[in-house]
Amino acid sequence: MKRAYSFRFKLLISYVLLTSIPLLTLGTLFYQASLRVVTDQAQDNVYEIVRKNNQLMDTKLGILDQNSMALFTDKDLFDLFNELEPSDGPGLLAADRQVSDILRNYFSQIDDVYAYQLWTSYFTFGQQLPQGGPTRSDIYRTAKQAGGRLVWYPTYDFSKMFSQPDYADDNIDFRYLFSATRVLDFSYLSGSLLRRLDEGVERPVLAISLKYQALNGLFSGSLPEGSRYLVLDEQDRVAAADDPALIAREYDEAWIDELQRSGSGRTRMTLGGERVIVCFDRSRITGWLSVVITPEDSLIRDLAPVIGASTLLLAVVLAAAALALAYFISGKINKPVERLTAAMRSAGEGDFEARVSVDSRDELGQLLKHFNRMNDRIGYLVTEVYETKLKEQEAEIQALNRQMNPHFLYNTLNVMNWMALENDQRELSRMLVCLSNMLHYTSRREWGAVSLDEEIEWMNSYFYIMQARFENKFTVEYDLDPRLYEYDLPRLTFQPFVENAILHGFENMESGGKIRIAGKIDKDRRIYAITDNGRGMDKATVENVLNGEGVSVGIGNTIARIKMQYGDLASVEISSSQGVGTMITIVLPREIQS
């Protein structure tokens, strides 16, 4: 058997569902929004780290750029290279010591600089490294192609760059370097004259070498846990990376191309099936692109449990508050409903004296108040219906008694008719027959609509008697559309108007009175017109007749019956002029055919 749950239990369950679903939805949205905010903030922080690291690197490398620019106008270097003889061995050694001292003054105080040299095809000045012939390297060629512009060459393998296979497997200190190179075309201002190196003098190339760890140091320790980083030049060669295996190699990944085109920014993507945040920025000095790849999970790994716990705690608190409120509200609703149910049960058993106490003015209070009023009304109506039944029974008995009177009158009129025929009074006999028909027509118990045939037949009997009474003072004329005989109309529709014309309209006439009953169909309406050439009525009298006042009570009754049966679809209008006559227009809708 199916278990029946109480209204309060159902109400509580509905409240729980109505509160839990929004709470779960809002909690999920809050959790996701919080994670999104935290992730966005972390992303902005990482991007700022990348930008700050680039700015720091540009500051350091910018000093190298400025100092290298200062060498262009160094008079000692100008004099030395302008007068140096490439074939003079002792002179080259002496020049090397002098160049080393000059370069040391410019670059020795700059952190991360590993070596500073001047390369020529005949000698390498400055710090000595096992480079063999450095002028055969790509670094040298790149510098020469750039003219006097400082060129930054990304991290390279020393042994490969300078063709030194003996160092390929050695763990040397200068295995991976990156360099800044510039062709030095010395000149200086002597008085108002700018002096340049002679045409035949070879312009040396400044080569400043730095360990790639100088770039790594900018990122190590400053990035979130699990982050990876790359420093790439315009050709996607790796200048620095957290993975040593990538150093000095080309990073051939399609997604890097979009970053190279953008230059600076942050984006989210999926790499290797993992959602990551990529922050990147281009160095103003080197033109290299610093890229930091951070897994989204690592940004929120520590905060996600805190946010989840906070969200859960908030949801539990709100759920408990909602449940307590639901219990309170359900009680406020359930108690009046229980009282109302008990009262309705009593009323259903016939006790209409049952009442419910009302202690609130809200909707439930109004409902209880209306129930009490309804109970009062039902009790009153029960009593009234009982009394009405008694009265109906009494009226039925009286109606049965009254049915004897018409039969008595019919029999009496028949006796009078036979006596008139025996005395050869045929005019009186016809009047008695007409009167009997009229009495039979008006005394039928049902008082519904009748056909136009029946109405005209009754009117003919009425006219016969009235013409005999007034000695043919008036004549009657009919002009009815044959289609009208297919429709019913209220009983005695014409009689009150005709009677008014005979008794009042022809009151001062000895003869010549005319009554015309016409009818036609106009679209969805039936229009009947009753006209006479009597004395007519003034406007006040017409208003009284239409309102059922004065002597013509029958007209008011007929108008009321027509309105009750057809409503606003029907109308009765009276048009009258004194000394001319009166026209009554009755408009009825076309109804179902009889």
Side-chain angles (χ1 to χ4, degrees), residues 169-228:
D169 298 325
D170 293 344
N171 186 20
I172 55 178
D173 189 36
F174 48 87
R175 179 65 180 270
Y176 293 107
L177 300 174
F178 67 95
S179 300
T181 58
R182 161 175 273 159
V183 176
L184 297 178
D185 187 7
F186 300 116
S187 62
Y188 80 97
L189 192 63
S190 177
S192 60
L193 180 64
L194 180 65
R195 295 191 59 191
R196 294 183 179 277
L197 290 176
D198 296 339
E199 288 292 331
V201 176
E202 179 182 349
R203 271 62 174 171
V205 172
L206 171 67
I208 305 172
S209 300
L210 301 91
K211 290 184 179 180
Y212 83 96
Q213 287 87 348
L215 299 176
N216 286 6
L218 295 173
F219 296 98
S220 299
S222 63
L223 299 178
E225 183 180 355
S227 297
R228 308 188 302 274

Side-chain angles (χ1 to χ4, degrees), residues 535-547:
R535 66 178 184 177
M537 298 178 285
D538 57 21
K539 290 185 179 180
T541 305
V542 170
E543 292 294 330
N544 291 335
V545 171
L546 287 174
N547 294 328

Side-chain angles (χ1 to χ4, degrees), residues 289-556:
L289 189 71
S290 297
V291 181
V292 174
I293 305 168
T294 305
E296 287 188 1
D297 291 343
S298 67
L299 294 176
I300 59 175
R301 184 179 296 121
D302 296 333
L303 292 175
V306 177
I307 296 174
S310 302
T311 304
L312 180 61
L313 178 61
L314 180 61
V316 170
V317 172
L318 291 177
L323 188 61
L325 184 61
Y327 186 82
F328 172 75
I329 294 176
S330 65
K332 297 290 287 185
I333 296 175
N334 191 59
K335 289 180 181 178
V337 171
E338 288 180 346
R339 295 201 302 268
L340 179 61
T341 303
M344 291 176 68
R345 190 180 298 111
S346 298
E349 295 172 355
D351 180 14
F352 298 109
E353 298 297 325
R355 297 293 180 271
V356 183
S357 61
V358 180
D359 51 10
S360 66
R361 295 184 179 180
D362 56 12
E363 288 80 359
L364 283 174
Q366 295 296 321
L367 177 63
L368 299 180
K369 187 182 296 183
H370 286 303
F371 173 79
N372 291 337
R373 291 178 182 173
M374 181 189 70
N375 242 8
D376 292 338
R377 183 64 178 166
I378 291 175
Y380 171 75
L381 290 176
V382 167
T383 303
E384 186 178 29
V385 169
Y386 177 73
E387 293 176 352
T388 302
K389 284 291 183 182
L390 292 178
K391 291 179 180 179
E392 286 180 354
Q393 291 177 1
E394 293 176 0
E396 188 73 22
I397 294 172
Q398 292 176 5
L400 292 174
N401 291 333
R402 285 196 298 270
Q403 284 184 358
M404 298 303 293
N405 295 333
H407 289 292
F408 173 74
L409 291 175
Y410 299 153
N411 293 335
T412 302
L413 290 173
N414 283 332
V415 170
M416 294 173 66
N417 181 38
W418 285 110
M419 290 178 65
L421 291 173
E422 288 177 357
N423 293 314
D424 199 23
Q425 295 180 344
R426 297 191 178 280
E427 187 73 21
L428 178 59
S429 173
R430 186 177 176 186
M431 291 178 64
L432 289 171
V433 172
C434 289
L435 181 60
S436 177
N437 290 338
M438 291 173 61
L439 182 62
H440 180 72
Y441 185 74
T442 57
S443 63
R444 282 188 286 182
R445 293 186 64 186
E446 67 279 0
W447 194 260
V450 297
S451 66
L452 184 59
D453 276 332
E454 293 180 280
E455 183 72 7
I456 295 301
E457 183 180 354
W458 188 91
M459 290 301 301
N460 288 334
S461 297
Y462 175 76
F463 283 136
Y464 182 81
I465 294 175
M466 296 304 288
Q467 283 175 330
R469 161 70 178 81
F470 290 101
E471 300 178 350
N472 295 318
K473 181 188 293 189
F474 64 91
T475 59
V476 179
E477 177 186 346
Y478 292 101
D479 182 14
L480 296 168
D481 189 327
R483 293 179 294 172
L484 291 171
Y485 289 93
E486 300 174 359
Y487 299 90
D488 291 341
L489 73 169
R491 188 180 304 195
L492 298 181
T493 297
F494 307 131
Q495 189 273 336
F497 303 105
V498 171
E499 181 183 22
N500 189 67
I502 295 172
L503 297 181
H504 302 290
F506 302 150
E507 183 178 8
N508 298 324
M509 297 175 62
E510 294 297 330
S511 63
K514 291 182 181 180
I515 295 176
R516 183 174 184 270
I517 300 177
K520 64 178 180 178
I521 292 179
D522 180 20
K523 296 181 180 179
D524 58 349
R525 302 183 303 167
R526 291 177 285 157
I527 303 174
Y528 300 94
I530 305 166
T531 58
D532 67 73
N533 61 345
R535 66 178 184 177
M537 298 178 285
D538 57 21
K539 290 185 179 180
T541 305
V542 170
E543 292 294 330
N544 291 335
V545 171
L546 287 174
N547 294 328
E549 300 175 357
V551 295
S552 185
V553 177
I555 292 178

Side-chain angles (χ1 to χ4, degrees), residues 115-252:
Y116 33 87
Q117 302 170 306
L118 290 181
W119 294 344
T120 64
S121 58
Y122 52 87
F123 195 81
T124 298
F125 298 92
Q127 295 169 295
Q128 297 300 311
L129 293 175
Q131 297 164 315
T135 56
R136 296 190 296 271
S137 66
D138 289 340
I139 299 176
Y140 182 83
R141 285 191 291 272
T142 303
K144 296 295 283 186
Q145 292 170 1
R149 181 171 55 88
L150 184 68
V151 179
W152 290 93
Y153 199 93
T155 304
Y156 51 87
D157 187 331
F158 184 89
S159 62
K160 294 179 179 180
M161 177 61 67
F162 298 106
S163 302
Q164 300 293 323
D166 294 340
Y167 295 97
D169 298 325
D170 293 344
N171 186 20
I172 55 178
D173 189 36
F174 48 87
R175 179 65 180 270
Y176 293 107
L177 300 174
F178 67 95
S179 300
T181 58
R182 161 175 273 159
V183 176
L184 297 178
D185 187 7
F186 300 116
S187 62
Y188 80 97
L189 192 63
S190 177
S192 60
L193 180 64
L194 180 65
R195 295 191 59 191
R196 294 183 179 277
L197 290 176
D198 296 339
E199 288 292 331
V201 176
E202 179 182 349
R203 271 62 174 171
V205 172
L206 171 67
I208 305 172
S209 300
L210 301 91
K211 290 184 179 180
Y212 83 96
Q213 287 87 348
L215 299 176
N216 286 6
L218 295 173
F219 296 98
S220 299
S222 63
L223 299 178
E225 183 180 355
S227 297
R228 308 188 302 274
Y229 61 89
L230 296 166
V231 179
L232 308 173
D233 75 344
E234 292 84 346
Q235 286 75 43
D236 296 337
R237 291 174 294 186
V238 180
D242 61 293
D243 184 2
L246 297 176
I247 301 299
R249 296 186 179 184
E250 184 175 348
Y251 195 77
D252 187 16

